[in-house]
Amino acid sequence: MIALNDFRRQWHDVRDAAFREFNRVGESGRYILGSSLEIFERALASLWRLRHCIGVASGLDAIEIALRALGCRTGDRVLTTPVSAFATTLAIVKLGAVPVFVDVDDSGLIDLDACEGVLSSRGDVKFFLPVHLFGHALNGKRLRHLRTRYGLILVEDCAQSIGADSEGEPAGTSGQCCATSFYPTKNLGAMGDGGAILTSDDALQIRIRALRDYGQTGKYRHEVIGYNSRLDELQAGLLAHVFLPRLEAWTARRRVIARMYVDSIHNPALRIPEPPLGSRSVWHLFPVVTPPARKMNFRAHLAEHDIASGEHYPIAIPDQSALSGVVIERASDLACARRFCSSEVTLPVHPYLTDTEVSRVIEVCNGWPG
Ligand SMILES: *Cc1c(COP(=O)(O)O)cnc(C)c1O
Protein backbone atom coordinates (compact mmCIF):
# COMPACT_ATOMS: atom_id res chain seq x y z
CA MET A 1 0.00 0.00 0.00
CA ILE A 2 1.33 3.46 -0.86
CA ALA A 3 0.44 5.50 2.22
CA LEU A 4 -0.49 9.18 2.53
CA ASN A 5 2.11 9.44 5.31
CA ASP A 6 4.61 6.71 6.09
CA PHE A 7 5.52 6.99 9.76
CA ARG A 8 7.21 3.60 9.82
CA ARG A 9 9.78 4.62 7.26
CA GLN A 10 10.24 7.92 9.07
CA TRP A 11 10.77 6.14 12.37
CA HIS A 12 13.40 3.82 10.92
CA ASP A 13 15.21 6.85 9.57
CA VAL A 14 15.12 8.87 12.81
CA ARG A 15 15.10 6.26 15.58
CA ASP A 16 18.75 6.48 16.62
CA ALA A 17 18.66 10.26 16.78
CA ALA A 18 15.28 10.14 18.55
CA PHE A 19 16.54 7.70 21.23
CA ARG A 20 19.56 9.94 21.85
CA GLU A 21 17.26 12.93 22.24
CA PHE A 22 14.91 11.08 24.59
CA ASN A 23 17.91 10.20 26.74
CA ARG A 24 19.23 13.76 26.65
CA VAL A 25 15.93 15.24 27.81
CA GLY A 26 15.62 12.54 30.47
CA GLU A 27 19.08 13.29 31.78
CA SER A 28 18.34 17.02 31.84
CA GLY A 29 15.61 16.45 34.45
CA ARG A 30 13.57 19.28 32.97
CA TYR A 31 10.43 18.42 31.05
CA ILE A 32 8.50 21.68 30.65
CA LEU A 33 9.81 25.15 29.64
CA GLY A 34 13.49 24.23 29.59
CA SER A 35 16.47 24.67 27.31
CA SER A 36 15.26 22.33 24.54
CA LEU A 37 12.29 24.62 23.99
CA GLU A 38 14.52 27.71 23.99
CA ILE A 39 16.86 26.13 21.44
CA PHE A 40 13.97 25.07 19.23
CA GLU A 41 12.26 28.47 19.46
CA ARG A 42 15.47 30.23 18.41
CA ALA A 43 16.05 27.82 15.52
CA LEU A 44 12.52 28.14 14.15
CA ALA A 45 12.45 31.94 14.49
CA SER A 46 15.69 32.18 12.55
CA LEU A 47 14.42 29.87 9.80
CA TRP A 48 11.34 32.10 9.54
CA ARG A 49 13.43 35.30 9.67
CA LEU A 50 11.27 36.60 12.53
CA ARG A 51 12.45 37.70 15.96
CA HIS A 52 10.39 35.48 18.24
CA CYS A 53 8.95 32.00 18.31
CA ILE A 54 6.74 30.84 21.19
CA GLY A 55 6.06 27.11 21.42
CA VAL A 56 2.53 26.06 22.46
CA ALA A 57 0.60 22.81 22.80
CA SER A 58 -1.04 22.67 19.34
CA GLY A 59 -1.73 24.53 16.13
CA LEU A 60 -5.27 25.23 17.34
CA ASP A 61 -3.91 26.83 20.52
CA ALA A 62 -1.37 28.80 18.48
CA ILE A 63 -4.16 30.44 16.46
CA GLU A 64 -6.43 31.02 19.46
CA ILE A 65 -3.66 32.46 21.65
CA ALA A 66 -2.38 34.65 18.81
CA LEU A 67 -5.85 36.12 18.25
CA ARG A 68 -6.39 36.54 22.01
CA ALA A 69 -3.04 38.28 22.48
CA LEU A 70 -3.98 40.67 19.67
CA GLY A 71 -7.21 41.62 21.41
CA CYS A 72 -9.76 39.45 19.62
CA ARG A 73 -12.89 39.25 21.78
CA THR A 74 -16.55 38.22 21.78
CA GLY A 75 -18.37 39.54 18.74
CA ASP A 76 -15.26 40.58 16.79
CA ARG A 77 -15.48 39.75 13.08
CA VAL A 78 -12.69 37.59 11.68
CA LEU A 79 -12.39 37.18 7.91
CA THR A 80 -11.36 33.62 7.08
CA THR A 81 -11.67 30.70 4.66
CA PRO A 82 -14.34 27.97 4.49
CA VAL A 83 -11.76 25.44 3.18
CA SER A 84 -9.23 24.52 5.85
CA ALA A 85 -8.78 22.29 8.87
CA PHE A 86 -11.73 22.90 11.20
CA ALA A 87 -9.23 24.18 13.80
CA THR A 88 -8.84 27.47 11.92
CA THR A 89 -12.47 28.36 12.60
CA LEU A 90 -12.56 26.64 15.98
CA ALA A 91 -9.92 29.07 17.27
CA ILE A 92 -12.18 32.00 16.33
CA VAL A 93 -15.35 30.46 17.72
CA LYS A 94 -13.71 29.48 21.02
CA LEU A 95 -13.02 33.17 21.62
CA GLY A 96 -16.67 34.03 21.00
CA ALA A 97 -15.60 35.91 17.87
CA VAL A 98 -17.53 35.57 14.59
CA PRO A 99 -15.96 33.96 11.53
CA VAL A 100 -16.83 35.74 8.29
CA PHE A 101 -16.34 33.20 5.52
CA VAL A 102 -15.18 34.45 2.16
CA ASP A 103 -15.11 32.15 -0.88
CA VAL A 104 -12.05 30.36 -2.26
CA ASP A 105 -10.48 30.44 -5.73
CA ASP A 106 -10.13 27.52 -8.17
CA SER A 107 -7.21 26.18 -6.16
CA GLY A 108 -9.18 26.01 -2.92
CA LEU A 109 -7.28 28.89 -1.31
CA ILE A 110 -8.94 31.97 0.15
CA ASP A 111 -9.79 34.36 -2.69
CA LEU A 112 -7.94 37.60 -1.99
CA ASP A 113 -10.04 39.54 -4.55
CA ALA A 114 -13.18 38.44 -2.72
CA CYS A 115 -11.51 39.48 0.58
CA GLU A 116 -10.88 42.94 -0.82
CA GLY A 117 -14.53 43.09 -1.94
CA VAL A 118 -15.77 42.29 1.57
CA LEU A 119 -13.33 44.64 3.29
CA SER A 120 -14.16 47.58 1.02
CA SER A 121 -17.90 47.13 1.52
CA ARG A 122 -18.04 46.66 5.30
CA GLY A 123 -16.05 48.35 8.02
CA ASP A 124 -16.69 45.96 10.89
CA VAL A 125 -14.06 43.34 10.03
CA LYS A 126 -11.04 43.89 12.27
CA PHE A 127 -9.26 40.55 12.07
CA PHE A 128 -8.03 38.54 9.11
CA LEU A 129 -7.08 34.86 9.37
CA PRO A 130 -6.03 33.53 5.96
CA VAL A 131 -4.58 30.02 5.51
CA HIS A 132 -1.56 29.15 3.40
CA LEU A 133 -3.26 25.90 2.41
CA PHE A 134 -1.67 22.75 0.95
CA GLY A 135 1.84 24.17 1.49
CA HIS A 136 1.26 27.03 -0.97
CA ALA A 137 2.14 30.58 -0.03
CA LEU A 138 -0.59 33.16 -0.54
CA ASN A 139 0.78 36.33 -2.12
CA GLY A 140 2.56 38.15 0.72
CA LYS A 141 2.47 41.59 -0.91
CA ARG A 142 -1.27 41.28 -1.42
CA LEU A 143 -1.79 40.26 2.22
CA ARG A 144 0.27 43.21 3.42
CA HIS A 145 -1.70 45.52 1.15
CA LEU A 146 -4.98 44.31 2.68
CA ARG A 147 -3.55 44.63 6.19
CA THR A 148 -2.47 48.26 5.75
CA ARG A 149 -5.29 49.44 3.46
CA TYR A 150 -8.00 48.20 5.85
CA GLY A 151 -6.11 48.51 9.15
CA LEU A 152 -6.44 44.80 9.86
CA ILE A 153 -4.97 42.59 12.50
CA LEU A 154 -3.57 39.77 10.41
CA VAL A 155 -2.81 36.31 11.82
CA GLU A 156 -1.61 33.83 9.20
CA ASP A 157 -2.36 30.12 9.55
CA CYS A 158 0.91 28.46 8.49
CA ALA A 159 0.14 24.98 9.81
CA GLN A 160 0.68 23.56 6.32
CA SER A 161 3.28 25.95 4.97
CA ILE A 162 6.51 25.86 6.99
CA GLY A 163 9.28 26.88 4.60
CA ALA A 164 7.02 28.14 1.79
CA ASP A 165 7.68 31.56 0.33
CA SER A 166 6.00 34.06 -1.92
CA GLU A 167 8.52 35.87 -4.15
CA GLY A 168 11.23 35.11 -1.60
CA GLU A 169 9.28 36.23 1.50
CA PRO A 170 8.47 33.40 3.95
CA ALA A 171 4.73 32.69 4.24
CA GLY A 172 3.55 34.12 7.54
CA THR A 173 5.59 37.32 7.55
CA SER A 174 2.92 39.73 6.28
CA GLY A 175 0.91 39.91 9.48
CA GLN A 176 1.34 40.77 13.14
CA CYS A 177 2.12 37.11 13.70
CA CYS A 178 1.61 33.64 12.29
CA ALA A 179 0.67 30.31 13.80
CA THR A 180 1.89 26.84 12.93
CA SER A 181 1.38 23.22 13.97
CA PHE A 182 3.64 20.25 14.67
CA TYR A 183 0.84 17.70 14.42
CA PRO A 184 2.65 14.54 13.22
CA THR A 185 1.41 14.70 9.62
CA LYS A 186 2.61 18.29 9.09
CA ASN A 187 5.81 18.97 7.14
CA LEU A 188 7.56 19.53 10.47
CA GLY A 189 5.72 17.05 12.67
CA ALA A 190 6.48 16.10 16.26
CA MET A 191 5.74 12.74 17.91
CA GLY A 192 2.64 14.18 19.48
CA ASP A 193 0.86 17.52 19.52
CA GLY A 194 2.59 20.87 19.29
CA GLY A 195 2.40 24.32 17.75
CA ALA A 196 4.07 27.71 17.71
CA ILE A 197 3.41 31.39 17.18
CA LEU A 198 5.99 33.49 15.34
CA THR A 199 6.27 37.26 15.43
CA SER A 200 8.75 40.12 15.38
CA ASP A 201 6.62 42.21 17.78
CA ASP A 202 8.45 42.37 21.15
CA ALA A 203 5.44 43.41 23.23
CA LEU A 204 3.19 40.83 21.59
CA GLN A 205 5.57 37.96 22.31
CA ILE A 206 5.58 38.85 26.01
CA ARG A 207 1.77 38.66 26.13
CA ILE A 208 1.83 35.35 24.27
CA ARG A 209 4.44 33.87 26.66
CA ALA A 210 2.24 34.79 29.60
CA LEU A 211 -0.93 33.45 27.98
CA ARG A 212 0.56 30.01 27.24
CA ASP A 213 1.60 29.59 30.88
CA TYR A 214 -1.61 30.26 32.92
CA GLY A 215 -1.28 33.98 32.26
CA GLN A 216 1.81 34.21 34.48
CA THR A 217 4.08 37.20 34.13
CA GLY A 218 6.31 36.01 36.97
CA LYS A 219 6.23 32.91 39.13
CA TYR A 220 2.73 32.77 40.70
CA ARG A 221 1.92 36.24 39.36
CA HIS A 222 -1.20 35.95 37.21
CA GLU A 223 -2.20 39.11 35.37
CA VAL A 224 -4.51 37.59 32.76
CA ILE A 225 -6.63 34.47 32.39
CA GLY A 226 -4.31 32.22 30.44
CA TYR A 227 -3.98 28.69 29.15
CA ASN A 228 -1.98 25.58 29.91
CA SER A 229 -0.45 25.41 26.45
CA ARG A 230 3.25 24.67 26.38
CA LEU A 231 5.39 22.71 23.94
CA ASP A 232 7.05 20.13 26.20
CA GLU A 233 10.78 19.47 26.30
CA LEU A 234 10.57 16.06 24.62
CA GLN A 235 8.68 17.42 21.62
CA ALA A 236 10.85 20.53 21.48
CA GLY A 237 14.02 18.43 21.70
CA LEU A 238 12.86 16.04 18.98
CA LEU A 239 11.83 18.97 16.80
CA ALA A 240 15.10 20.87 17.30
CA HIS A 241 17.57 18.01 17.03
CA VAL A 242 15.85 15.30 15.00
CA PHE A 243 13.16 16.73 12.73
CA LEU A 244 14.14 20.33 11.98
CA PRO A 245 17.60 19.30 10.68
CA ARG A 246 15.81 17.07 8.15
CA LEU A 247 13.17 19.57 7.08
CA GLU A 248 15.11 21.09 4.19
CA ALA A 249 15.79 17.69 2.60
CA TRP A 250 12.19 16.60 3.20
CA THR A 251 10.86 19.76 1.57
CA ALA A 252 13.20 19.32 -1.39
CA ARG A 253 11.91 15.77 -1.83
CA ARG A 254 8.27 16.91 -1.65
CA ARG A 255 9.04 19.46 -4.36
CA VAL A 256 10.62 16.83 -6.61
CA ILE A 257 7.59 14.55 -6.20
CA ALA A 258 5.15 17.40 -6.86
CA ARG A 259 7.09 18.34 -10.00
CA MET A 260 6.90 14.73 -11.25
CA TYR A 261 3.12 14.74 -10.68
CA VAL A 262 2.64 18.11 -12.38
CA ASP A 263 4.78 17.06 -15.36
CA SER A 264 3.38 13.57 -15.81
CA ILE A 265 -0.26 13.39 -14.70
CA HIS A 266 -2.11 13.96 -17.96
CA ASN A 267 -5.64 12.73 -17.46
CA PRO A 268 -8.26 15.08 -18.91
CA ALA A 269 -10.60 14.13 -16.06
CA LEU A 270 -8.09 15.36 -13.43
CA ARG A 271 -7.18 18.99 -12.85
CA ILE A 272 -4.13 19.94 -10.80
CA PRO A 273 -4.92 23.24 -9.03
CA GLU A 274 -2.33 25.97 -9.63
CA PRO A 275 -0.41 27.37 -6.65
CA PRO A 276 -0.75 31.17 -6.31
CA LEU A 277 1.52 33.25 -8.55
CA GLY A 278 4.99 33.58 -6.99
CA SER A 279 4.44 30.77 -4.47
CA ARG A 280 7.35 28.43 -3.84
CA SER A 281 5.24 25.72 -2.27
CA VAL A 282 6.31 23.12 0.25
CA TRP A 283 3.59 20.69 -0.92
CA HIS A 284 2.17 19.66 2.43
CA LEU A 285 -0.56 18.01 0.37
CA PHE A 286 -0.99 17.31 -3.33
CA PRO A 287 -4.61 18.01 -4.29
CA VAL A 288 -6.20 17.08 -7.59
CA VAL A 289 -9.72 17.95 -8.69
CA THR A 290 -12.12 15.46 -10.30
CA PRO A 291 -15.60 16.03 -11.69
CA PRO A 292 -17.73 16.12 -8.47
CA ALA A 293 -19.78 13.05 -9.40
CA ARG A 294 -16.60 11.04 -10.04
CA LYS A 295 -14.66 11.77 -6.86
CA MET A 296 -15.58 8.58 -5.04
CA ASN A 297 -14.93 6.53 -8.16
CA PHE A 298 -11.42 8.02 -8.47
CA ARG A 299 -10.67 7.28 -4.82
CA ALA A 300 -11.93 3.70 -5.27
CA HIS A 301 -9.72 3.35 -8.37
CA LEU A 302 -6.66 4.47 -6.34
CA ALA A 303 -7.56 2.11 -3.48
CA GLU A 304 -7.95 -0.83 -5.89
CA HIS A 305 -4.38 -0.16 -6.95
CA ASP A 306 -3.17 0.04 -3.33
CA ILE A 307 -2.78 3.80 -3.27
CA ALA A 308 -4.12 5.70 -0.27
CA SER A 309 -5.81 9.04 -0.90
CA GLY A 310 -7.30 11.79 1.21
CA GLU A 311 -9.89 14.57 1.09
CA HIS A 312 -8.95 18.12 2.08
CA TYR A 313 -11.62 18.91 2.91
CA PRO A 314 -14.86 17.07 2.17
CA ILE A 315 -17.19 19.57 3.89
CA ALA A 316 -16.91 23.36 3.80
CA ILE A 317 -16.41 24.57 7.38
CA PRO A 318 -19.64 26.65 7.63
CA ASP A 319 -21.58 23.50 6.61
CA GLN A 320 -20.25 21.50 9.59
CA SER A 321 -23.02 20.63 12.02
CA ALA A 322 -20.91 21.75 15.01
CA LEU A 323 -21.53 25.31 13.80
CA SER A 324 -25.31 25.11 13.70
CA GLY A 325 -26.45 27.44 16.43
CA VAL A 326 -23.11 29.28 16.42
CA VAL A 327 -23.01 32.84 15.09
CA ILE A 328 -21.16 32.79 11.77
CA GLU A 329 -21.38 34.91 8.63
CA ARG A 330 -21.02 34.03 4.97
CA ALA A 331 -19.80 36.83 2.74
CA SER A 332 -21.33 35.07 -0.30
CA ASP A 333 -22.97 31.75 -1.17
CA LEU A 334 -19.49 30.11 -1.04
CA ALA A 335 -20.25 28.17 -4.23
CA CYS A 336 -16.57 27.70 -5.16
CA ALA A 337 -15.80 26.30 -1.71
CA ARG A 338 -18.61 23.77 -1.92
CA ARG A 339 -17.62 22.75 -5.44
CA PHE A 340 -13.99 22.38 -4.38
CA CYS A 341 -14.90 20.29 -1.33
CA SER A 342 -17.03 17.95 -3.42
CA SER A 343 -14.32 17.33 -6.01
CA GLU A 344 -10.89 17.37 -4.31
CA VAL A 345 -8.76 14.25 -3.78
CA THR A 346 -5.31 14.27 -2.15
CA LEU A 347 -2.46 12.13 -3.53
CA PRO A 348 0.49 10.87 -1.42
CA VAL A 349 3.39 13.37 -1.47
CA HIS A 350 5.35 12.49 1.69
CA PRO A 351 9.16 12.60 1.52
CA TYR A 352 9.69 8.85 2.01
CA LEU A 353 7.95 7.92 -1.26
CA THR A 354 10.31 6.15 -3.66
CA ASP A 355 10.58 7.09 -7.34
CA THR A 356 8.98 3.75 -8.20
CA GLU A 357 5.98 4.59 -6.00
CA VAL A 358 5.65 8.04 -7.52
CA SER A 359 5.69 6.51 -11.02
CA ARG A 360 3.06 4.04 -9.90
CA VAL A 361 0.77 6.85 -8.62
CA ILE A 362 1.21 8.68 -11.95
CA GLU A 363 0.44 5.55 -13.97
CA VAL A 364 -2.67 4.76 -11.93
CA CYS A 365 -3.91 8.37 -12.21
CA ASN A 366 -3.37 8.34 -15.96
CA GLY A 367 -5.09 4.97 -16.23
CA TRP A 368 -8.29 6.18 -14.55
CA PRO A 369 -11.08 6.16 -17.15
CA GLY A 370 -12.55 9.34 -15.62
C1 LIG B 1 -3.39 21.02 11.34
C2 LIG B 1 -3.96 22.35 11.12
C3 LIG B 1 -4.39 23.15 12.19
C4 LIG B 1 -4.47 22.66 13.60
O1 LIG B 1 -3.29 22.22 14.13
P1 LIG B 1 -3.32 21.21 15.40
O2 LIG B 1 -1.89 21.17 15.82
O3 LIG B 1 -3.84 19.91 14.90
O4 LIG B 1 -4.20 21.82 16.43
C5 LIG B 1 -4.84 24.43 11.91
N1 LIG B 1 -4.87 24.89 10.64
C6 LIG B 1 -4.49 24.14 9.58
C7 LIG B 1 -4.53 24.74 8.22
C8 LIG B 1 -4.02 22.85 9.79
O5 LIG B 1 -3.66 22.12 8.73
Side-chain angles (χ1 to χ4, degrees):
M1 188 80 185
I2 299 179
L4 267 188
N5 290 290
D6 199 325
F7 290 109
R8 259 178 31 136
R9 286 183 195 171
Q10 177 177 296
W11 175 244
H12 290 144
D13 178 19
V14 305
R15 58 174 289 158
D16 293 347
F19 275 127
R20 273 198 303 279
E21 195 49 34
F22 188 76
N23 187 51
R24 213 186 53 73
V25 173
E27 290 287 339
S28 82
R30 178 98 193 225
Y31 306 140
I32 294 281
L33 297 180
S35 60
S36 298
L37 181 58
E38 282 174 25
I39 289 166
F40 174 63
E41 287 180 340
R42 268 201 298 277
L44 195 64
S46 120
L47 180 104
W48 227 297
R49 291 187 248 145
L50 291 170
R51 279 224 289 279
H52 311 287
C53 168
I54 305 98
V56 295
S58 71
L60 167 64
D61 281 6
I63 303 167
E64 183 180 346
I65 292 173
L67 288 169
R68 246 292 289 285
L70 286 160
C72 185
R73 285 177 298 146
T74 307
D76 283 340
R77 266 43 185 179
V78 185
L79 196 65
T80 193
T81 175
V83 180
S84 181
F86 191 69
T88 309
T89 290
L90 194 49
I92 300 169
V93 167
K94 283 178 72 193
L95 290 169
V98 178
V100 178
F101 293 103
V102 69
D103 213 347
V104 299
D105 61 21
D106 280 350
S107 300
L109 276 73
I110 192 166
D111 183 334
L112 298 183
D113 290 328
C115 288
E116 179 118 45
V118 173
L119 292 165
S120 59
S121 68
R122 52 188 282 184
D124 63 340
V125 175
K126 276 201 291 194
F127 293 85
F128 184 26
L129 177 56
V131 180
H132 299 271
L133 199 67
F134 302 138
H136 302 330
L138 291 163
N139 189 292
K141 277 199 193 72
R142 196 75 203 280
L143 290 177
R144 221 172 8 260
H145 158 78
L146 293 175
R147 173 186 168 183
T148 45
R149 172 81 176 75
Y150 300 99
L152 297 171
I153 293 171
L154 169 55
V155 174
E156 295 171 72
D157 182 339
C158 293
Q160 303 190 356
S161 62
I162 288 189
D165 71 69
S166 165
E167 291 161 359
E169 297 174 46
T173 55
S174 297
Q176 277 81 354
C177 67
C178 71
T180 194
S181 163
F182 311 119
Y183 184 82
T185 60
K186 306 291 157 128
N187 288 29
L188 179 62
M191 294 182 77
D193 275 308
I197 300 158
L198 291 108
T199 182
S200 281
D201 182 329
D202 299 341
L204 178 62
Q205 71 113 8
I206 291 169
R207 293 201 295 281
I208 292 168
R209 283 187 193 284
L211 279 173
R212 77 166 171 188
D213 192 26
Y214 318 123
Q216 287 184 101
T217 46
K219 203 163 172 61
Y220 307 130
R221 302 288 186 280
H222 301 266
E223 291 186 24
V224 288
I225 299 296
Y227 300 76
N228 173 349
S229 185
R230 299 161 305 219
L231 184 63
D232 66 71
E233 286 291 285
L234 259 180
Q235 299 306 335
L238 289 167
L239 285 164
H241 301 294
V242 180
F243 300 124
L244 191 56
R246 288 172 165 78
L247 181 62
E248 202 179 308
W250 281 341
T251 300
R253 180 67 187 151
R254 285 176 185 272
R255 285 177 171 149
V256 167
I257 297 166
R259 167 92 354 244
M260 290 195 267
Y261 285 161
V262 170
D263 287 347
S264 307
I265 295 177
H266 299 295
N267 184 331
L270 294 175
R271 177 173 69 85
I272 298 175
E274 291 275 329
L277 213 65
S279 163
R280 220 160 71 87
S281 301
V282 294
W283 297 100
H284 172 59
L285 299 169
F286 193 93
V288 296
V289 173
T290 67
R294 303 301 292 154
K295 168 175 166 167
M296 286 312 166
N297 182 277
F298 178 56
R299 294 198 70 196
H301 174 79
L302 292 170
E304 273 161 33
H305 292 87
D306 289 332
I307 297 170
S309 65
E311 299 175 281
H312 295 86
Y313 292 88
I315 302 175
I317 292 173
D319 296 340
Q320 294 282 2
S321 43
L323 293 178
S324 63
V326 174
V327 182
I328 62 171
E329 291 178 10
R330 297 172 178 82
S332 70
D333 63 0
L334 307 178
C336 293
R338 292 215 177 80
R339 195 175 339 111
F340 190 86
C341 290
S342 62
S343 52
E344 187 276 347
V345 176
T346 305
L347 300 180
V349 70
H350 68 78
Y352 291 92
L353 284 174
T354 64
D355 284 356
T356 313
E357 288 170 327
V358 175
S359 300
R360 176 98 189 108
V361 173
I362 291 167
E363 194 185 302
V364 170
C365 285
N366 289 338
W368 181 50

